[in-house]
Amino acid sequence: MTEQRIGIIDIGSNSIRLVVYERTVGGANRVIDGSKHSARLSEQLDDDGALPEQSIDELVDMMNHFRLICAHHRTGHIRAVATAAIRNATNQSHILRRIEAESGLPIELLSGKQEADYGYLGMVNSMAIEDGFLIDIGGGSTEVSLFKNRKLVHAISFPFGCVSMTKRYAKGGMLSDQQLKELEKHIEDKIEHETWLRSSPNLPLVGIGGTVRALGKVHQSHVKYPFPSTNNYSLDAASTDELFELMRKQPLDKRSKVPGLSKDRVDIIVPGIAILRTIYRAISASHYIVCAAGLRDGLFYATRFPERPRLDDVITYSVNNLAALHPEAPMQHTSQVNRTVLSLIDLLGSKLPALDLVRQYLDIASILHRIGASIDYYDYKKHTFYLMINSHINGLSHRELLICSLIASYKGKSRVKQTAAAYKPLLSEEDIETVCKLGAVLQLAIALDRSETQAIGKLSIEVSGGKLHLRALRAEGMLAVERKEVDSLASDFKKLWNLTPLLHTPDYR
């Protein structure tokens, strides 16, 4: 795939979405535009299971609208797919012919298996998780998959979704006790013969799609969660059940005011969570995890990287992609800092627990520490922190991302405590102490290339007599700038590590 921009259109049973991806000059991938239309196609199927002509007219109009947005962005390739609503329509061939004839866009009609596969690909490329179940509750179908060692083992598409179940059991969005029992019995009957669903208990149930994302947002608002992301957000069964019952008992006018719940999901959220809970109990899952990626992301990876769409290392890809989005950071300097900081922690890290994790924190922070300069060099550390916590660094927990962001933007212990105060529930005092120690090591590595000329060609590091001896065995010049920088941060470093850093220049005599 050589086109620099790719448009992905997903004709779902609940909504129709467009996402436009761009590959930058620096080789990074990013979303540059998106649009959503709430269509409720599953709801519009008539008694014969056909989509009425008026609904097809509206669908064609929306596809032309999306095509114009793609044209505005000079999108080189548009990939449009349709899922359960069109798949289940008795007049599917007519619908597809009309869309292609009147919009010029050929539509791929995904099977339930393909829908599950692309959803899995989107999830596995956004989370560093080895084993689990995956669920995607759409408007007209629900895909459930089992993956182990990051490989898909089983997948199935069930012919029920939040819109179709609302239409059948919860007209008007209200679900009585009796209707809930009937809905759950309907699901249990459908999944009964899939014995593999019961073969792997105590695994997490990862959810993609609007129902699970909405649940995550509502729960975060409910508990006043301080971090601005639902990706990789965990919920336990008790919390989910509590929110479910709270919303189920609310009339729609009151439910519409629930913080975190979008207006177009007010009537279908309760049946959607009912599906989620029933599957959760059937597989004996350990907990829920919200994934912000899904079908469209999977389609993007399959289109952009057709030979190897599944990422081997989610974290490394995300970090390198974010760095490439901010090319103002000098690459040679960043690479030098990265090498130096890892050498420093290899020597000093024996005083810290979990060295492998600590190295990962410093690896990420050192690569990204200058991205904030793309906004404003003079206050780049503040901007680096903002960019990191609001960007997609997939594979990290929210706590881990906060720690990396605080290390990358380190300006002293008091500043760390001030910034971390807003995220108090996520960070312990031990975490803050670790951030300060690692932040000081990163600042020392930056100081050792303060001239940004990579003047130190080879560095020997040694601890002796309360000193951290940094001997430049091969260097260009007398390193006056680097020595002054190392001396200026020596006091802060000593407080944290009980070592005074000293830079020794080569003896050229």
Side-chain angles (χ1 to χ4, degrees), residues 331-458:
M331 186 181 299
Q332 290 177 318
H333 169 64
T334 300
S335 298
Q336 177 88 342
V337 170
N338 178 254
R339 288 190 295 271
T340 302
V341 80
L342 295 179
S343 297
L344 286 167
I345 203 60
D346 284 343
L347 178 69
L348 300 170
S350 59
K351 299 182 179 182
L352 296 172
L355 178 58
D356 287 346
L357 194 56
V358 163
R359 283 188 102 254
Q360 184 183 63
Y361 293 159
L362 277 172
D363 189 27
I364 294 168
S366 59
I367 291 170
L368 299 176
H369 79 277
R370 278 283 289 274
I371 62 172
S374 63
I375 298 176
D376 179 14
Y377 175 82
Y378 293 104
D379 210 1
Y380 76 81
K381 291 182 179 180
K382 178 179 76 174
H383 299 305
T384 289
F385 178 80
Y386 175 84
L387 287 172
M388 286 181 67
I389 65 166
N390 287 283
S391 296
H392 295 290
I393 304 182
N394 296 323
L396 297 178
S397 69
H398 295 172
R399 171 182 163 272
E400 290 168 338
L401 180 50
L402 268 172
I403 288 172
C404 292
S405 303
L406 287 166
I407 294 168
S409 58
Y410 180 74
K411 285 186 73 172
K413 195 167 189 175
S414 61
R415 181 67 69 89
V416 169
K417 287 186 172 181
Q418 181 183 350
T419 305
Y423 305 95
K424 189 71 172 177
L426 289 176
L427 297 173
S428 66
E429 290 300 323
E430 184 181 355
D431 288 334
I432 291 172
E433 191 65 28
T434 298
V435 164
C436 293
K437 281 194 164 189
L438 299 186
V441 175
L442 176 57
Q443 290 307 304
L444 179 59
I446 293 169
L448 289 168
D449 192 39
R450 181 61 184 84
S451 62
E452 300 187 10
T453 60
Q454 298 75 61
I456 297 177
K458 187 175 181 181

Side-chain angles (χ1 to χ4, degrees), residues 31 105 133 249 257 275 292 305:
V31 174
L105 292 173
F133 283 92
K249 292 171 182 175
K257 297 182 175 67
I275 296 170
F305 310 111

Side-chain angles (χ1 to χ4, degrees), residues 16-68:
I16 307 168
R17 291 175 182 264
L18 163 71
V19 183
V20 180
Y21 297 84
E22 177 186 57
R23 182 174 177 82
T24 68
V25 174
N29 294 299
R30 64 180 178 183
V31 174
I32 60 168
D33 204 345
S35 186
K36 173 188 173 184
H37 173 66
S38 182
R40 298 284 180 95
L41 295 178
S42 290
E43 206 172 67
Q44 296 177 43
L45 297 177
D46 62 23
D47 293 340
D48 296 323
L51 193 65
E53 288 299 322
Q54 183 180 346
S55 299
I56 301 174
D57 292 341
E58 293 172 0
L59 180 54
V60 169
D61 184 61
M62 185 52 56
M63 295 299 287
N64 277 315
H65 175 64
F66 285 170
R67 181 179 55 80
L68 289 173

Side-chain angles (χ1 to χ4, degrees), residues 14-178:
N14 182 45
S15 59
I16 307 168
R17 291 175 182 264
L18 163 71
V19 183
V20 180
Y21 297 84
E22 177 186 57
R23 182 174 177 82
T24 68
V25 174
N29 294 299
R30 64 180 178 183
V31 174
I32 60 168
D33 204 345
S35 186
K36 173 188 173 184
H37 173 66
S38 182
R40 298 284 180 95
L41 295 178
S42 290
E43 206 172 67
Q44 296 177 43
L45 297 177
D46 62 23
D47 293 340
D48 296 323
L51 193 65
E53 288 299 322
Q54 183 180 346
S55 299
I56 301 174
D57 292 341
E58 293 172 0
L59 180 54
V60 169
D61 184 61
M62 185 52 56
M63 295 299 287
N64 277 315
H65 175 64
F66 285 170
R67 181 179 55 80
L68 289 173
I69 292 175
C70 289
H72 170 73
H73 288 296
R74 298 178 183 174
T75 305
H77 180 71
I78 301 174
R79 186 173 185 183
V81 304
T83 57
I86 309 297
R87 189 165 64 231
N88 297 333
T90 54
N91 60 339
Q92 62 168 250
S93 298
H94 173 65
I95 298 168
L96 297 175
R97 279 197 303 269
R98 273 203 59 190
I99 294 174
E100 182 168 0
E102 297 176 41
S103 72
L105 292 173
I107 309 298
E108 297 176 53
L109 184 62
L110 299 183
S111 67
K113 174 67 164 56
Q114 288 174 314
E115 192 174 352
D117 288 350
Y118 286 124
Y120 164 75
L121 181 59
M123 180 281 297
V124 82
N125 280 353
S126 66
M127 299 178 70
I129 184 170
E130 295 292 323
D131 308 309
F133 283 92
L134 175 66
I135 187 168
D136 181 4
I137 303 170
S141 68
T142 295
E143 285 68 49
V144 182
S145 309
L146 172 64
F147 60 95
K148 292 189 174 181
N149 296 317
R150 293 181 62 78
K151 293 181 180 178
L152 198 58
V153 179
H154 293 287
I156 189 169
S157 179
F158 294 108
F160 52 77
C162 58
V163 175
S164 60
M165 293 304 249
T166 299
K167 184 178 180 180
R168 181 166 182 169
Y169 294 105
K171 289 180 180 177
M174 301 305 296
L175 191 65
S176 68
D177 290 351
Q178 182 59 35

Side-chain angles (χ1 to χ4, degrees), residues 177-372:
D177 290 351
Q178 182 59 35
Q179 290 166 330
L180 175 59
K181 287 180 182 177
E182 293 173 3
L183 182 152
E184 291 174 340
K185 179 68 165 55
H186 178 90
I187 296 170
E188 288 163 1
D189 289 345
K190 292 289 185 184
I191 68 176
E192 181 181 1
H193 300 295
E194 302 300 327
T195 55
W196 59 270
L197 288 173
R198 295 173 176 81
S199 66
S200 302
N202 299 314
L203 290 178
L205 177 58
V206 182
I208 60 177
T211 293
V212 179
R213 284 196 303 270
L215 172 64
K217 289 176 182 177
V218 170
H219 187 261
Q220 286 184 337
S221 296
H222 188 67
V223 299
K224 296 180 171 56
Y225 189 72
F227 198 81
S229 173
T230 55
N231 193 50
N232 214 7
Y233 182 69
S234 297
L235 299 93
D236 59 29
S239 299
T240 300
D241 292 345
E242 179 187 353
L243 272 183
F244 172 73
E245 289 299 338
L246 179 68
M247 290 190 286
R248 185 167 77 93
K249 292 171 182 175
Q250 291 174 328
L252 259 60
D253 59 342
K254 189 171 182 181
R255 195 187 300 166
S256 67
K257 297 182 175 67
V258 171
L261 183 61
S262 62
K263 298 294 185 288
D264 62 351
R265 202 163 281 276
V266 169
D267 59 333
I268 59 175
I269 185 63
V270 170
I273 298 176
I275 296 170
L276 180 69
R277 292 166 73 241
T278 307
I279 300 291
Y280 181 94
R281 290 196 297 265
I283 64 175
S284 301
S286 57
H287 60 290
Y288 301 93
I289 303 177
V290 182
C291 177
L295 174 67
R296 290 176 297 283
D297 304 272
L299 286 163
F300 163 73
Y301 286 110
T303 307
R304 175 64 81 190
F305 310 111
E307 301 301 319
R308 292 190 64 184
R310 186 166 62 87
L311 301 176
D312 294 326
D313 188 333
V314 172
I315 296 175
T316 298
Y317 173 84
S318 293
V319 170
N320 291 341
N321 193 70
L322 181 55
L325 284 173
H326 301 277
E328 294 84 355
M331 186 181 299
Q332 290 177 318
H333 169 64
T334 300
S335 298
Q336 177 88 342
V337 170
N338 178 254
R339 288 190 295 271
T340 302
V341 80
L342 295 179
S343 297
L344 286 167
I345 203 60
D346 284 343
L347 178 69
L348 300 170
S350 59
K351 299 182 179 182
L352 296 172
L355 178 58
D356 287 346
L357 194 56
V358 163
R359 283 188 102 254
Q360 184 183 63
Y361 293 159
L362 277 172
D363 189 27
I364 294 168
S366 59
I367 291 170
L368 299 176
H369 79 277
R370 278 283 289 274
I371 62 172

